[in-house]
Amino acid sequence: MTQETGKRPNIYDVASAAGVSKSLVSLVLRGAPGVSAARRAAVEEAIVRLNYRPSRAAATLAGNRSRTIGVVLDDYRNLWFVGLLGGLHDELAPLGFRVAVADPSFNAHLDRTPVDGLMSLRVDGIVIATEPTEEMFAAVDVPAVVAGNRDLVVPGADIVANDDEAGGRLATEHLIGLGHREIGHVTGGGGAARLRAQGFEAAMREHGLSPDVAQGHGLTMEPDGYAGALKLLDRNPALTAIFAANDVMAMGVAAAARDRGRRVPEDLSLIGYDNSPLASANLLRLTTIDGRNGEVGAGAAKALLERMKEPDLPVQTKLVDPELVVRGSTAPPA
Amino acid sequence: MTQETGKRPNIYDVASAAGVSKSLVSLVLRGAPGVSAARRAAVEEAIVRLNYRPSRAAATLAGNRSRTIGVVLDDYRNLWFVGLLGGLHDELAPLGFRVAVADPSFNAHLDRTPVDGLMSLRVDGIVIATEPTEEMFAAVDVPAVVAGNRDLVVPGADIVANDDEAGGRLATEHLIGLGHREIGHVTGGGGAARLRAQGFEAAMREHGLSPDVAQGHGLTMEPDGYAGALKLLDRNPALTAIFAANDVMAMGVAAAARDRGRRVPEDLSLIGYDNSPLASANLLRLTTIDGRNGEVGAGAAKALLERMKEPDLPVQTKLVDPELVVRGSTAPPA
DNA sequence: ATGAAAGCGCTAACAT
DNA sequence: ATGTTAGCGCTTTCAT
């Protein structure tokens, strides 16, 4: 805690303390080139001495842009967004952009939708990392990209996502390659899960195998994985492998296997999706598909930047190739 | 996506569309009383018709306050912050405050510390939900509270936290009450873990038992729980119960138990801390301590609001009582 | 109950 | 390379 000075210093205070004009200070703040070293040093010294923090409100207002990209998130528990945010940040920070997160569940009341809140912030672009709703887009008039989901095609918004269908095939083919023939899939709600299931079914059929798909309560959380796997194991005891639509659900599958007396991987191979921190836990040592969310985030950032330059570019869909990560939960059938 | 109008509507546009003055629009925006119903309706209609979004930049600049509370977070993987954010939001939103999250790892480069970034936003208060560093506070000149951590006492900042030491006792006494005598504790780095360990040791000694504490690699993640539990089980095979410093570490402990041929809870009782989503997973069905992070968030919000009114109030420390949540991972010793 | 007018602290276009 | 100036879109007295 520093002294409670009567007033916060502003750019004028810094300018006069450094013996220069406000414009010079503004240039130094943005690290612009073409400022003499001496002046720059003087300004920086004054900034530190006065403990000056530029007002982003004033900068946004005057510049008519916030140098901020808004991200709409909805579920903090499925940790895929961490990589997304990282990729976004790595791509954007060097260009002077910040990332602001809006959460539909928080900050309700004040704004009708999280997008409204971001528009009030005058974000320069928006990344939708939820299942997008029509309503969200009514309000958007900046470049937008939908990340991680290909379900709802939004007019004017680019799409960047991990190729969930290819990932579903990859998982399935790993199991088939190991020698499994009786393979089940536990799926859930939402576009990503549906595409993963499609990849599973396609791969199975291409190999002349019959896919067995079960769903929990329609969501994609641990209890859904548990419930779906119980259905699968009970109706088809010959099953030697299960592909779960994500890692959290795979954890539920592992519990169901245990409760039915099946060891993983000896009696049942298990593969997840996401390569979340859960997958690397010693309790699971889960083979999984890495959707490379960092790449998705970076791709979303690039799409946004391009569209900021060229608003009328045709809408693009970029798919990131998923990767297989082999750990200890898959093995050849007994 | 709506029409690409040349310019965004501002408060003047709304005012003239509604046939009133800008001041009236401003009053309606803030839901102020003393505006005639007719005028209010006209303004609201114009807002909708023009798809007007007030500029938060301008509002912050003019009002010299952002109606935003900043939260500094550091690790998205230990999900305790979700409850914190929820409690903060529930308390603050009705009063018109937003919550902005700053993450030290993201948004580096642009601001020296996450606190700098929040100060640039002109937040009206700050919640530190990380291990605070001296450096952070050099820059703060708004009400601040440290949430969830009692380690570093920051001059001028209130503290709101779950009572980790009491929680440690609670966990330990649950095990002792079940009949366990040989009990180990897996701890990690940081203030919260240290207090939980203190609670463990105190409870053990009060019951005339000798505490056995192990540490992983000094962090508080799953591999640390795994490594610590292996140490414990290998050096003291008589152990019938382990208390892990948090749920993620407990998951590591569960893996170590399995790898040493111990079933939970038949051969080893296990209790965690946090009551995270992990604890309710079917694979663990983990008995745990609920730190009631929603209450911590609500308490932090209240502390901030009080200090905004009365900046010179003496610094307070509020402790939230933790609760035991019994699931299936603890049982009487064999 | 409503309106008029003065800033808030910056950026950017222009001038030098 | 540096200084001057005109807003950006609001909130907030102060009038009426």
Side-chain angles (χ1 to χ4, degrees), chain A residues 24-142:
Chain A
L24 234 287
V25 177
S26 180
L27 291 176
V28 171
L29 281 178
R30 280 174 286 146
V35 177
S36 70
R39 305 277 204 178
R40 180 184 300 275
V43 170
E44 279 166 352
E45 184 277 335
I47 287 176
V48 171
R49 184 154 48 79
L50 300 183
N51 191 27
Y52 167 69
R53 304 289 155 221
S55 160
R56 252 155 80 185
T60 298
L61 185 56
N64 202 29
R65 54 179 304 151
S66 58
R67 294 175 181 281
T68 298
I69 301 298
V71 182
V72 183
L73 246 43
D74 65 348
D75 185 2
Y76 281 115
R77 287 164 304 172
N78 240 343
L79 292 166
W80 81 274
F81 74 89
V82 177
L84 204 245
L85 251 29
L88 233 25
H89 171 75
D90 292 347
E91 206 68 27
L92 258 15
L95 301 175
F97 286 92
R98 303 175 155 75
V99 173
V101 172
D103 181 316
S105 59
F106 307 146
N107 292 13
H109 270 290
L110 293 175
D111 310 297
R112 279 188 329 110
T113 77
V115 172
D116 279 347
L118 294 175
M119 294 314 295
S120 284
L121 268 183
R122 296 295 185 265
V123 293
D124 302 319
I126 286 197
V127 177
I128 310 277
T130 67
E131 306 262 337
T133 63
E134 302 282 358
E135 183 197 36
M136 281 183 183
F137 286 88
V140 176
D141 59 355
V142 294

Side-chain angles (χ1 to χ4, degrees), chain A residues 9-279:
Chain A
N10 63 21
I11 200 170
Y12 285 82
D13 301 325
V14 174
S16 63
V20 302
S21 75
K22 312 92 208 145
S23 319
L24 234 287
V25 177
S26 180
L27 291 176
V28 171
L29 281 178
R30 280 174 286 146
V35 177
S36 70
R39 305 277 204 178
R40 180 184 300 275
V43 170
E44 279 166 352
E45 184 277 335
I47 287 176
V48 171
R49 184 154 48 79
L50 300 183
N51 191 27
Y52 167 69
R53 304 289 155 221
S55 160
R56 252 155 80 185
T60 298
L61 185 56
N64 202 29
R65 54 179 304 151
S66 58
R67 294 175 181 281
T68 298
I69 301 298
V71 182
V72 183
L73 246 43
D74 65 348
D75 185 2
Y76 281 115
R77 287 164 304 172
N78 240 343
L79 292 166
W80 81 274
F81 74 89
V82 177
L84 204 245
L85 251 29
L88 233 25
H89 171 75
D90 292 347
E91 206 68 27
L92 258 15
L95 301 175
F97 286 92
R98 303 175 155 75
V99 173
V101 172
D103 181 316
S105 59
F106 307 146
N107 292 13
H109 270 290
L110 293 175
D111 310 297
R112 279 188 329 110
T113 77
V115 172
D116 279 347
L118 294 175
M119 294 314 295
S120 284
L121 268 183
R122 296 295 185 265
V123 293
D124 302 319
I126 286 197
V127 177
I128 310 277
T130 67
E131 306 262 337
T133 63
E134 302 282 358
E135 183 197 36
M136 281 183 183
F137 286 88
V140 176
D141 59 355
V142 294
V145 8
V146 176
N149 199 287
R150 300 196 274 143
D151 227 24
L152 183 58
V153 177
V154 178
D158 296 300
I159 293 177
V160 182
N162 139 58
D163 189 340
D164 291 292
E165 181 168 356
R169 302 178 91 100
L170 203 53
T172 310
E173 273 155 10
H174 169 65
L175 295 173
I176 293 173
L178 246 21
H180 294 276
R181 291 295 171 265
E182 296 287 341
I183 307 175
H185 176 52
V186 181
T187 189
R194 214 195 44 252
L195 290 167
R196 291 169 192 186
Q198 278 173 23
F200 167 73
E201 292 180 3
M204 288 295 279
R205 272 196 270 272
E206 281 165 19
H207 288 265
L209 303 173
S210 65
D212 190 359
V213 178
Q215 190 161 132
H217 312 293
L219 300 177
T220 54
M221 301 307 292
E222 188 272 347
D224 306 294
Y226 182 74
L230 285 184
K231 282 188 204 170
L232 235 34
L233 291 170
D234 289 345
R235 79 183 175 205
N236 187 354
L239 237 45
T240 62
I242 291 182
F243 164 36
N246 66 43
D247 291 347
V248 176
M249 293 182 80
M251 190 176 179
V253 175
R258 180 206 55 200
D259 288 355
R260 287 297 180 265
R262 307 275 220 117
R263 290 164 307 165
V264 172
E266 293 85 347
D267 309 322
L268 186 77
S269 278
L270 174 57
I271 183 168
Y273 204 117
D274 281 348
N275 197 22
S276 66
L278 217 47

Side-chain angles (χ1 to χ4, degrees), chain B residues 184-245:
Chain B
H185 177 53
V186 181
T187 187
R194 214 194 45 254
L195 290 167
R196 292 169 192 186
Q198 279 173 22
F200 167 72
E201 292 179 3
M204 289 295 280
R205 273 195 271 273
E206 281 165 21
H207 288 264
L209 303 173
S210 65
D212 190 359
V213 177
Q215 189 161 132
H217 313 293
L219 300 177
T220 53
M221 300 306 293
E222 188 271 349
D224 307 294
Y226 182 74
L230 284 183
K231 282 188 204 170
L232 235 33
L233 291 172
D234 289 343
R235 80 182 175 209
N236 187 355
L239 237 45
T240 63
I242 292 182
F243 164 37

Side-chain angles (χ1 to χ4, degrees), chain B residues 76-88:
Chain B
Y76 281 115
R77 286 164 304 171
N78 242 341
L79 293 166
W80 80 273
F81 74 89
V82 178
L84 203 246
L85 251 27
L88 234 23

